[in-house]
Amino acid sequence: MINKIVRDMAEAMAGVADGSTVLVGGFGAAGQPDDLIEGLIEQGAKDLTIVANNAGTGRTGLARLMELGRVRKIICSFPRSVGSVVFEELYKAGRLELEIVPQGTLAERMRAAGAGVPAFFTPTAAGTKLGQGKEEREFNGRPHVMELALPGDVALVEAWEADRWGNLTFRRSGRNFNPVMAMAAKLTIVQAEKIVELGAIEGERVVTPGIFVSRVLNVKRGAPWGETAAA
């Protein structure tokens, strides 16, 4: 019987190795798997490459993971934002590598990894510093640069619903990067607000099929995710 639901955080984080590339879902705080990030901190893996939309804020969650010296490199679209104090401190001190990727390109690089596409061409970044050193071709009279797929060793994903096969739905803006990250990693770990019976998620509503999911941990975050919030 297939059952990807794990009992606790320790089981969810088992086997995450030093040096892993970890894809972290979310768009800022929306859809960010905060509990799994805390679990990764407790698990202790280090020398990580983090792929995320931004570089964290304040001194909690992703920022705390970096402040503890567990992150060697971050690949993101928005390293500087309000409250990104830890990133700025570490980067200025030369203790953190940075690769900036335009947001749409970042999503497509992970989608390509999940779809088995090794590389693709995009006009984004052509003629800019972000395109320097990359193969360039012209399509329909417009320069494009080649971008490589971006797979992960681990993906940390927040979902709204999950069943024991790992089929997932997402809620509103929580969908953001989570589905493409779920399909791009060797080990996809999900925190889900609701665990439902097989068949409760109609096939047409499944956003991420269970084939892309390794483990599911039930995490009830409460408001604004609680049952009283509008679904």
Side-chain angles (χ1 to χ4, degrees):
M1 181 179 75
I2 297 174
N3 186 2
K4 298 179 180 178
I5 299 170
V6 297
R7 295 166 296 180
D8 54 34
M9 186 63 77
E11 188 175 353
M13 289 294 151
V16 178
D18 295 348
S20 294
T21 295
V22 182
L23 315 179
V24 180
F27 185 88
Q32 186 170 270
D34 294 327
D35 292 81
L36 296 183
I37 295 171
E38 292 299 321
L40 181 60
I41 291 172
E42 293 303 316
Q43 192 264 1
K46 59 183 183 298
D47 193 32
L48 302 173
T49 294
I50 296 294
V51 181
N53 182 59
N54 63 8
T57 59
R59 296 188 181 276
T60 61
L62 183 55
R64 181 169 173 243
L65 185 69
M66 294 192 295
E67 191 167 35
L68 290 170
R70 305 277 182 75
V71 180
R72 178 181 59 82
K73 178 180 181 179
I74 186 162
I75 302 172
C76 68
S77 299
F78 300 102
R80 298 188 68 187
S81 57
V82 176
S84 59
V85 290
V86 172
F87 164 77
E88 296 186 28
E89 290 172 0
L90 295 177
Y91 186 71
K92 288 177 181 176
R95 296 170 53 197
L96 185 66
E97 298 176 35
L98 170 66
E99 179 181 344
I100 297 177
V101 181
Q103 187 168 262
T105 302
L106 183 67
E108 183 63 9
R109 287 182 65 187
M110 290 182 284
R111 193 202 68 80
V117 177
F120 60 92
F121 283 89
T122 173
T124 305
T128 74
K129 289 185 178 179
L130 296 181
Q132 290 179 357
K134 297 177 180 177
E135 181 179 339
E136 185 171 316
R137 294 188 187 181
E138 187 172 294
F139 297 93
N140 299 319
R142 191 177 183 189
H144 291 62
V145 295
M146 187 176 75
E147 298 283 357
L148 300 177
L150 180 56
D153 298 301
V154 180
L156 305 183
V157 167
E158 185 194 64
W160 174 242
E161 294 174 310
D163 61 28
R164 66 177 172 83
W165 283 3
N167 294 311
L168 307 178
T169 71
F170 301 86
R171 186 171 183 270
R172 296 182 176 174
S173 57
R175 184 162 171 168
N176 55 64
F177 280 93
N178 283 304
V180 291
M181 290 183 170
M183 62 190 292
K186 299 173 186 173
L187 174 67
T188 294
I189 306 169
V190 177
Q191 69 171 67
E193 170 77 19
K194 301 170 68 174
I195 303 295
V196 299
E197 296 295 326
L198 282 179
I201 306 175
E202 296 178 2
E204 293 81 0
R205 291 202 302 121
V206 173
V207 177
T208 296
I211 194 172
F212 294 115
V213 173
S214 309
R215 302 168 185 166
V216 176
L217 180 65
N218 188 199
V219 175
K220 293 186 178 298
R221 301 185 64 182
W225 296 98
E227 295 292 345
T228 56

